[in-house]
Amino acid sequence: MKISNSHQKGEVKILFIKDKKISQLTKTQKDTLSLLGFEGIGNIFIPENKTFVIGIDKSLQDFPNTLRDSLAQAIMSLKKLKIKSISLEAQSLQEIKEICEGILLGNYTFDTFKNEKNKSNLKEVYIHAPTLDKKAVDSLIAQIQIIANSVNTTRELINTPPMEATPEYIVNFVKNLSKEIGFECKVHNTQFLEKEKMGAFLAVSKASCHNPYLVHLTYKPKTSKKSSLKKFVFVGKGLTYDCGGLSLKPSDYMTTMKADKSGACAVIGIVDSLARLGIEAEIHGILGLTENMIGGNAYKPDDILIARNGKSIEVRNTDAEGRLVLADCLSYASDLKPDFLIDLATLTGACVVALGDYTMGIMGYNPKLKEDFLKIASSAGELGGILPFNPYLKKLYKSEVADLCNIPSSRYGSAITAGMFLGEFVAESLLQKWLHLDIAGPAYVEKSWGVNPFGATGAGVRACIEFVKQKA
Ligand code: BES
Ligand code: ZN
Ligand code: ZN
């Protein structure tokens, strides 16, 4: 899709109404709207003059996503009308940003397997911004296009069914991507995991007929004006399927577990964008790719695993597998001595209970870092909530027979205890530089919301890109 800064008229005109101010409309438009019972809030299409009116709810004006979400919802409705071009007006760069994001993210559809496609025909978007600097507008549009494409790449990978999107499929995908953009992609197989003594990661992988991989992506700018570059390391949980293992999930909870690779797919999207944007920072992406399955060779409740950092873990529930894979990935990532270490994972159902579907859990030991991330995520249009660690919870994941237990002894606060468990595998010197993002809620939702059509959302991608942009 092409978004241009131009005065050209589109097939449909998009009109915003803020504060129910419908004075900018013609008399006929006002009459039509009042006939249809439109009171200034919500979306409505006036067929006679092909105008799509978006009435922004004043009570939500402070809410960062209002314009972006309205645009996305409008685009989702317009898909059905098979419109080829739209035009609209913008008064500020912030408006341009939200408009472009809403359009590009709302226009995504996952219909590869549908015979009857619901693809949008939208090819041209004309934004009239006579009061704004043309260069600034063009460069902003180009940036948003890169970021939205990465979010859509992440969504596509997550939506791809588990029979196809195996660890090997993700490896091949990211290998090709790295060649196309020019970042490094090292693929480590089982032998490497064995050599590195990644006993926790390996245990989870045992019952799968697909080989596990730890993928290490590295981006460094070719030339830089800076004397020293900040180093960001992102670690993603990449369970291409999580049936729970021998602690098998009930059927209702098993569906959607193709999305248990959302953390790793988000990391791919983050590295993809930052490399395309040529960001002045060193970026690493670590993907822990495997499946959690059942079978004669499966790891079992009662097993005791030795993780890469030497800590022993009693397994009491094989469905708490993400923290085992991430334990070894975080220990590996710690060796890179980053300035910022961020993991993204669909880690716990408890996080969804705590914060709801739409909000990611932000955890860690550094209050300022958590606050900063929350603010930056919100400015990028993503919702987060800080879940506080506390020392009293530590005893909940102690074990009688090993150093740690993979599930806590109480289910209260178990998004937090899962996060604190991960902290046991981050080098102590890095605990103040580490953030854990539990994206179990927003990564995959079986209804459309905000800028998201049904399914994968690409949660974490926009927030982390913005974080790097501000902290690099
Ligand atoms: N992948 C799940 C968490 C999850 C739940 C993601 C819902 C997305 C939506 C994770 O591996 C898991 O099963 N966690 C268990 C942990 C429990 C056994 C301590 C959970 O949350 O129930
Ligand atoms: Zn699980
Ligand atoms: Zn899982």
Side-chain angles (χ1 to χ4, degrees):
M1 189 201 310
K2 200 168 154 239
I3 303 186
S4 48
N5 178 7
S6 113
H7 279 71
Q8 217 164 311
K9 257 188 150 184
E11 222 179 304
V12 165
K13 183 178 176 188
I14 309 252
L15 204 64
F16 311 117
I17 299 181
K18 290 177 200 160
D19 309 341
K20 300 190 186 178
K21 281 186 192 138
I22 49 173
S23 50
Q24 44 182 316
L25 302 180
T26 62
K27 165 113 182 34
T28 344
Q29 283 174 330
K30 276 188 206 159
D31 289 348
T32 316
L33 288 181
S34 94
L35 247 169
L36 294 168
F38 181 77
E39 289 179 346
I41 293 174
N43 293 348
I44 198 157
F45 183 56
I46 312 175
E48 294 92 84
N49 47 12
K50 291 210 163 179
T51 303
F52 197 99
V53 181
I54 299 177
I56 295 175
D57 189 348
K58 192 173 177 242
S59 62
L60 294 176
Q61 293 268 306
D62 288 342
F63 197 64
N65 304 315
T66 320
L67 183 56
R68 192 189 277 116
D69 286 6
S70 306
L71 244 302
Q73 295 296 328
I75 291 298
M76 289 182 220
S77 321
L78 284 171
K79 269 180 203 165
K80 297 177 198 104
L81 298 179
K82 302 292 170 203
I83 304 284
K84 291 197 192 71
S85 62
I86 56 172
S87 50
L88 31 79
E89 270 169 39
Q91 321 295 346
S92 67
L93 288 175
Q94 178 61 22
E95 273 190 18
I96 302 244
K97 182 172 183 278
E98 294 197 32
I99 288 168
C100 294
E101 285 179 353
I103 293 172
L104 294 164
L105 297 174
N107 204 41
Y108 171 81
T109 322
F110 178 66
D111 59 4
T112 319
F113 295 89
K114 269 176 150 333
N115 280 310
E116 208 172 297
K117 305 285 182 200
N118 182 27
K119 279 263 184 291
S120 131
N121 281 2
L122 192 59
K123 293 279 174 303
E124 296 274 357
V125 177
Y126 307 114
I127 303 183
H128 305 188
T131 57
L132 303 174
D133 175 51
K134 189 168 173 352
K135 246 183 157 179
V137 172
D138 289 345
S139 126
L140 181 63
I141 293 176
Q143 275 200 36
I144 306 289
Q145 260 169 328
I146 290 177
I147 296 168
N149 273 342
S150 298
V151 173
N152 289 337
T153 298
T154 296
R155 287 169 164 181
E156 187 72 13
L157 278 173
I158 299 168
N159 282 329
T160 304
M163 58 187 283
E164 195 177 326
T166 60
E168 197 180 340
Y169 176 95
I170 308 277
V171 163
N172 289 332
F173 180 90
V174 75
K175 259 192 200 164
N176 290 333
L177 192 69
S178 70
K179 277 187 210 136
E180 182 195 328
I181 312 170
F183 58 81
E184 194 187 316
C185 171
K186 272 197 195 136
V187 179
H188 297 300
N189 61 14
T190 309
Q191 283 76 48
F192 177 89
L193 304 187
E194 282 165 355
K195 196 180 101 239
E196 289 283 312
K197 299 196 166 56
M198 295 187 166
F201 189 160
L202 280 164
V204 174
S205 310
K206 275 169 70 181
S208 172
C209 63
H210 301 290
N211 290 324
Y213 294 100
L214 184 149
V215 177
H216 183 163
L217 311 172
T218 311
Y219 158 79
K220 288 177 194 164
K222 299 217 166 54
T223 53
S224 174
K225 286 176 221 110
K226 292 187 178 170
S227 55
S228 75
L229 292 175
K230 288 260 168 65
K231 196 190 283 183
F232 296 80
V233 178
F234 294 97
V235 177
K237 170 177 173 182
L239 266 287
T240 60
Y241 206 69
D242 176 15
C243 77
L246 292 178
S247 314
L248 194 65
K249 284 185 186 292
S251 318
D252 284 357
Y253 290 86
M254 205 185 291
T255 28
T256 74
M257 280 304 138
K258 67 171 180 181
D260 214 21
K261 58 183 179 304
S262 296
C265 298
V267 172
I268 296 174
I270 294 163
V271 177
D272 178 51
S273 255
L274 294 171
R276 286 180 199 267
L277 292 169
I279 204 91
E280 297 241 1
E282 184 175 323
I283 313 291
H284 295 261
I286 312 296
L287 321 175
L289 301 170
T290 190
E291 265 189 344
N292 187 22
M293 298 302 286
I294 49 169
N297 194 30
Y299 84 122
K300 306 168 188 75
D302 285 348
D303 275 345
I304 298 176
L305 319 173
I306 312 293
R308 183 181 184 271
N309 70 351
K311 289 190 182 176
S312 61
I313 308 166
E314 177 195 2
V315 177
R316 291 184 76 90
N317 188 318
T318 61
D319 197 12
E321 85 299 335
R323 65 198 76 187
L324 299 174
V325 172
L326 286 178
D328 284 337
C329 290
L330 282 167
S331 151
Y332 173 92
S334 293
D335 289 359
L336 299 168
K337 302 199 169 27
D339 294 300
F340 296 98
L341 173 60
I342 302 184
D343 74 76
L344 296 97
T346 45
L347 202 67
T348 64
C351 193
V352 195
V353 173
L355 297 172
D357 268 335
Y358 311 120
T359 306
M360 72 172 98
I362 301 172
M363 288 166 252
Y365 287 102
N366 181 334
K368 170 146 189 333
L369 186 58
K370 289 186 283 185
E371 288 291 346
D372 282 358
F373 191 88
L374 175 65
K375 277 197 203 114
I376 291 173
S378 162
S379 74
E382 291 201 60
L383 302 179
I386 294 173
L387 298 177
F389 286 175
N390 73 62
Y392 310 113
L393 290 170
K394 202 169 163 141
K395 59 182 174 297
L396 297 186
Y397 55 86
K398 286 285 162 230
S399 157
E400 292 293 328
V401 294
D403 300 334
L404 304 163
C405 179
N406 84 323
I407 53 162
S409 53
S410 157
R411 71 176 135 122
Y412 297 133
S414 52
I416 297 174
T417 45
M420 290 175 69
F421 179 95
L422 294 183
E424 298 285 333
F425 302 90
V426 173
E428 218 166 310
S429 58
L430 292 175
L431 283 175
Q432 290 294 313
K433 300 177 175 177
W434 167 64
L435 280 179
H436 160 55
L437 308 178
D438 193 331
I439 54 169
Y444 192 93
V445 184
E446 291 194 288
K447 54 186 174 274
S448 166
W449 61 285
V451 293
N452 306 296
F454 180 101
T457 62
V461 176
R462 285 181 290 148
C464 289
I465 294 170
E466 189 57 33
F467 182 79
V468 174
K469 280 169 83 182
Q470 295 202 19
K471 298 284 182 184

